[in-house]
Amino acid sequence: MSEKDIKEFYESAKKYCKFVSDNIITAENIEELMYLMLDSFAKGLLLPDVEQDDNDPVKGEKPNPIRIELPTTYWEIFDPFTQEEPVCGDLLDDLSDIRDDLLEGIYDYEAGFVNNAIFEWKLLHQAHWGNHCVAAVKALQHLRD
C-alpha cells in the first residue's frame, strides 16, 4: 500500500466521521451512509502491517453526538459459524463505535504519528469497527426505501 492509498483511507474515514457527526441519519441518507461505511471498510482491508510509533495516543475534540431517526435495534447472529441465539444489535452503537475507532487514528495521523494511525485502524478494522460496519450495513440494507 502506498502513501497515496493510506491518505485515501484517511480521507475516507474522515468523510464518514464528518457525515455521522454533522447529519441526522434518516431514510433519505441511508445509501450515502452505507457508501461511506463500505468505502472505509474496503480501503481498510488494504492497510499495511506497521510497527507502532512510540507516543501516547493523541486526544482530539469530542465529536457531536450521532443523531438518528431510524429504528436502531436489530437482531443478528454474532458468529455465523456457530449455532447460537440471535443477539440484539444497535445502529447508534455501531455508528458511534466505528466513528470513535476511526477518530483515534485520525487524530494520530493529523499529529504526524502515521504508523500509530495505521496500526490502530488496521487492528480495530479486524477486531472491532469492521464488525460493527458489516452488521450496520446489513441492518441498514433492510431499512432502505
Side-chain angles (χ1 to χ4, degrees), residues 9 12 14-15 18 20 30 33-34 42 48 62 72 87 89 93 103 105-106 110 117-118 120 128 130 133 135 143-144:
F9 175 85
S12 176
K14 193 156 178 148
K15 283 179 189 174
K18 181 169 177 40
V20 297
I30 284 177
L33 173 61
M34 291 172 69
K62 184 176 172 147
T72 58
V87 295
D93 179 64
L103 281 175
I106 288 169
E110 291 175 346
I118 296 167
E120 288 296 318
H128 192 242
C133 185
L143 292 175
R144 290 174 63 197

Side-chain angles (χ1 to χ4, degrees), residues 3 6 10 51-59 103-118 121:
E3 285 184 38
I6 294 165
Y10 159 77
E51 296 293 322
Q52 284 183 288
D53 297 316
D54 187 23
N55 71 292
D56 291 328
V58 176
K59 299 291 182 197
L103 281 175
E104 283 185 40
I106 288 169
Y107 296 144
D108 278 342
Y109 184 91
E110 291 175 346
F113 301 110
V114 176
N115 280 357
N116 263 15
I118 296 167
W121 286 326

Side-chain angles (χ1 to χ4, degrees), residues 47-143:
L47 290 170
D49 292 322
V50 297
E51 296 293 322
Q52 284 183 288
D53 297 316
D54 187 23
N55 71 292
D56 291 328
V58 176
K59 299 291 182 197
E61 268 185 50
K62 184 176 172 147
N64 295 330
I66 294 176
R67 299 166 295 157
I68 187 167
E69 293 180 353
L70 298 167
T72 58
T73 303
Y74 62 90
W75 294 96
E76 68 171 327
I77 302 298
F78 188 71
D79 180 352
F81 294 101
T82 61
Q83 187 171 356
E84 59 185 28
E85 294 295 316
V87 295
C88 184
D90 184 278
L91 277 173
L92 185 57
D93 179 64
D94 292 331
L95 301 179
S96 297
D97 281 4
I98 295 164
R99 180 185 65 185
D100 293 347
D101 287 354
L102 293 176
L103 281 175
E104 283 185 40
I106 288 169
Y107 296 144
D108 278 342
Y109 184 91
E110 291 175 346
F113 301 110
V114 176
N115 280 357
N116 263 15
I118 296 167
F119 184 87
E120 288 296 318
W121 286 326
K122 182 168 183 149
L123 174 69
L124 296 175
H125 182 278
Q126 294 170 340
H128 192 242
W129 75 264
N131 292 327
H132 280 283
C133 185
V134 169
V137 166
K138 184 174 183 187
L140 289 166
Q141 175 70 10
H142 291 281
L143 292 175

